[in-house]
Amino acid sequence: MKKVIHTDNAPKAVGPYSQAVQMGDFLFCSGQISIDPKTNEVFTGDIKIQTEMVMKNIDAVLTQAGLNFSNVIKTTIFITNMNDFATVNEIYAKSFKEAPPARSTVAVAGLPKGVNVEIEVIAHR
């Protein structure tokens, strides 16, 4: 049975979607961007800070579902500039010290709210 996951510790959806949906032992998390969930303000500055915010938002959704980064089995990173790859990778890697998940990184022309990085994850209980 499909279960919608929501937490106030991650940004509200900016469209008709859920922060995450649990189906059986799998959790499908929508892409997170650099929005501060407390103020709902978008941060479009330094890519390092954007990525830190994104990872914090993902952590909040995982936590709400009773999971953590060790449960993540697949991620997709969307970035607007491949020159930011190394910086994004450096911050991302801090959450996956052992047995990192499968991953794709895709350069895109643009992302919601003018941010430069969006990350989505799939986790398994």
Side-chain angles (χ1 to χ4, degrees):
M1 176 158 67
K2 179 172 123 175
K3 177 182 176 187
V4 171
I5 303 297
H6 172 80
T7 177
D8 290 335
N9 294 322
K12 295 177 177 71
V14 295
Y17 62 86
S18 300
Q19 290 172 330
V21 173
Q22 184 175 321
M23 182 64 108
D25 289 337
F26 287 93
L27 183 72
F28 300 88
C29 298
S30 295
Q32 288 291 327
I33 60 175
S34 52
I35 296 176
D36 182 332
K38 292 182 179 114
T39 63
N40 209 36
E41 289 190 25
V42 180
F43 180 79
T44 58
D46 186 311
I47 191 68
K48 181 177 178 183
I49 296 170
Q50 283 190 53
T51 307
E52 288 169 346
M53 291 175 73
V54 167
M55 297 307 286
K56 184 177 179 184
N57 290 338
I58 292 169
D59 184 51
V61 175
L62 290 170
T63 298
Q64 182 66 30
L67 303 172
N68 59 52
F69 283 109
S70 70
N71 296 100
V72 174
I73 58 173
K74 172 70 169 84
T75 66
T76 306
I77 299 174
F78 304 95
I79 56 178
T80 58
N81 186 339
M82 273 298 179
N83 291 330
D84 291 331
F85 180 84
T87 302
V88 170
N89 209 38
E90 175 188 340
I91 303 305
Y92 169 95
K94 292 178 183 178
S95 297
F96 301 107
K97 294 181 177 31
E98 293 182 18
R103 181 180 95 181
S104 301
T105 303
V106 182
V108 295
L111 288 166
K113 306 283 188 184
V115 300
N116 302 103
V117 60
E118 178 175 358
I119 302 175
E120 66 180 27
V121 305
I122 299 171
H124 186 263
R125 186 168 309 281

